[in-house]
Amino acid sequence: MHKGLKSRPNFSFLFLSILQVGLNTVEAVWPLPQTFISSSEQYRLNPQTFYFGYGRQSAAQPGCTVLDSAFKRYFSLIFLDFTSGYGALRFSVDQPFRVEISVDHDDCEGYPSEDSSERYNLTVSAGHASLNAETVWGALRGLESFSQLVYQDDFGSYFVNKTEIEDFPRFQFRAILLDTSRHYLPVQTILKTLDAMAYSKFNVFHWHIVDDPSFPYQSRSFPDLSAKGAFHPMTHIYTQSDVRRVISHGRLRGIRILPEFDSPGHTKSWGKGQSDLLTPCYKGDIPSGTFGPVNPALPSTYKFMATLFKEVSSVFPDSYIHLGGDEVDFSCWRSNPDIRAFMQAMGFEGDFTKLEAFYMENIMNITSALNKTSIVWQDVFDYHERRSSLSVVEVWKEGCYLCEVRRVAKAGLKVILASPWYLDQPGPTHNWARYYTVWPLAFKGTEEQKKLVIGGEVCMWGEYVDATNLMPRLWPRASAAAERLWSDEEKTSNVDKAFPRLQEFRCKLLRRGIQAEPLYVGHCKHEYQGI
């Protein structure tokens, strides 16, 4: 017997019910909206007589870069096989259909931020859909939902059903992390990931841009960092214009770009282009020729960091910046006589967590002077005595991660949860459900403490991931986490009910050119056609 059959999920009943209602299951909006009422009344759409437009009362009007480009993008996503000759014989019989967008605030030229509203209401009726939102970012989420409501019959005609949606995200921070240091990811791959993120309503791209293996960020202030620290100084770097492209592509999709420059550990590649930054390790009384974490005892370290972060703050517009702070190996610091002498002078009495706290405190002072809110990995919280200086803590370690979430929230700090969503980790192949059945607020705490959990993050570390396998490893499993972070928990707690919806959403991703891996046995009407 095929060993895969033993663990087959009990989806047969659902398959039957889906087949009975055909492919136009109107519940097929992923992530599931907060309230969703639809009927079987359907309206035919003809690309020749279909329009997006601005409502008369809308604060945004033609010329709004975010919405103007979204209208073009979503027209192509809704009518994927449309060519200008389509429907020439029958467009006269089709009623025109207009989608009217109204927003309360004209934030067309701005950037999404941590308190941007993504709330929208969508009503679809005969010949007309109205989409109302507080901001253009909410309008983008509504356009995504509308695009998912449209379906085709077997003859290629387009339809949408009578629908009412009121929607907003459960969590404000819904992120995906990509690691571009362990393997370089071409800019095109990052842009395609941002496209796919918008389809699942993710709103933060956490760019883990540098680490031990390579330093691909091309700095204006310190060009040697990438010239000597990248895998290749010309082909494996992100120029300033590459970074601007990523930021702009994200902005047009309502996605914040959050850079991470992790220190004092994870910095081997930095040392190649910046002498005296890393700590020389010793073997007895003699330097061994190897280097450890950033040297926290030298004033030149903080001068360098202040200049680097000033540049990073001007390049990346988001108010958040990720400072890392995880997995610092103390053995090199311990071996170095200058570090030991510095610790004695500071009264740290051989406690290296105090030394790291001192270093992180200095870096956080630099970034807060630049008006940035810093995020750190949980390690910094765990050993930090002066926790009041921290702002946002990202929980990543395995074990009882909700215990850690509770500790951070109890200390009055904001929390981002990443532990259950490490998608690079090996696991059973049919494991989307384990990313779905995560309950981020299932810890003992007050309402105020639970409000401090601002969201979650899907992490795709790069040891075994590059542009060849990123897409299928990320999608559609990341979409399971996306629904957990967007939708009402009570309405989306059942894996069996979610399965056919996610399966249909995965087919939509394929149709849009995203190589999302299959969830189980089955087929899509339009199979993936290659690049």
Side-chain angles (χ1 to χ4, degrees), residues 354-415:
K354 285 193 172 134
L355 179 62
E356 191 184 350
F358 166 81
Y359 169 81
M360 290 306 293
E361 197 87 18
N362 274 290
I363 302 301
M364 288 186 288
N365 288 343
I366 289 168
T367 52
S368 68
L370 294 162
N371 251 347
K372 297 286 186 181
T373 300
S374 55
I375 304 180
V376 293
W377 295 108
Q378 74 177 72
D379 317 42
V380 180
F381 171 83
D382 292 342
Y383 60 67
H384 224 79
E385 283 171 6
R386 272 186 22 124
R387 286 173 171 174
S388 57
S389 61
L390 305 177
S391 307
V392 186
V393 175
E394 182 162 6
V395 172
W396 67 275
K397 293 185 178 179
E398 288 180 286
C400 181
Y401 56 77
L402 287 182
C403 304
E404 180 78 359
V405 168
R406 183 173 172 229
R407 278 192 291 272
V408 177
K410 225 172 157 184
L413 302 173
K414 289 179 175 166
V415 195

Side-chain angles (χ1 to χ4, degrees), residues 247-312:
I247 292 167
S248 163
H249 200 86
R251 181 185 92 87
L252 292 175
R253 286 153 187 76
I255 296 170
R256 300 162 55 193
I257 311 299
L258 166 70
E260 180 184 357
F261 286 80
D262 187 358
S263 72
H266 289 282
T267 47
K268 276 197 174 58
S269 66
W270 302 41
K272 294 173 183 170
Q274 186 65 21
S275 56
D276 298 331
L277 178 65
L278 303 185
T279 308
C281 310
Y282 276 67
K283 215 171 183 164
D285 301 333
I286 323 154
S288 66
T290 60
F291 293 89
V294 167
N295 189 334
L298 297 179
S300 58
T301 291
Y302 302 104
K303 196 169 169 240
F304 163 79
M305 289 294 185
T307 309
L308 179 67
F309 279 115
K310 188 177 180 190
E311 175 190 318
V312 168

Side-chain angles (χ1 to χ4, degrees), residues 112-121 131-142 145 166-174 198 200-204 253-256 485-486:
S113 68
E114 74 274 15
D115 43 19
S116 295
S117 163
E118 293 170 284
R119 179 183 289 275
Y120 69 91
N121 294 342
L131 168 57
N132 297 309
E134 291 168 21
T135 66
V136 295
W137 320 118
L140 289 175
R141 306 297 172 241
S145 292
E166 285 180 28
D167 203 11
F168 55 88
R170 180 183 177 205
F171 291 104
Q172 196 58 41
F173 186 102
R174 306 177 309 282
S200 286
K201 298 188 173 75
F202 281 104
N203 68 346
V204 179
R253 286 153 187 76
I255 296 170
R256 300 162 55 193
L485 293 169
W486 179 282

Side-chain angles (χ1 to χ4, degrees), residues 80-95:
L80 273 160
D81 51 12
F82 171 67
T83 57
S84 52
Y86 172 95
L89 297 172
R90 49 175 169 161
F91 76 93
S92 55
V93 299
D94 284 327
Q95 293 297 311

Side-chain angles (χ1 to χ4, degrees), residues 2 4 19 37 122 125 222 265 334 338 341-342 347 368 386 396 420 431 440 460 487 523 529-530:
H2 186 286
L19 289 170
I37 303 161
L122 174 65
S125 49
F222 303 103
R334 196 177 284 119
D338 299 332
F342 176 77
S368 68
R386 272 186 22 124
W396 67 275
N431 63 349
M460 186 56 79
S487 306
H523 79 290
Q529 294 299 319

Side-chain angles (χ1 to χ4, degrees), residues 508-524:
K508 283 193 180 109
L509 291 179
L510 292 192
R511 191 88 206 276
R512 294 175 177 192
I514 305 298
Q515 283 172 282
E517 68 179 12
L519 294 165
Y520 191 56
V521 177
H523 79 290
C524 290

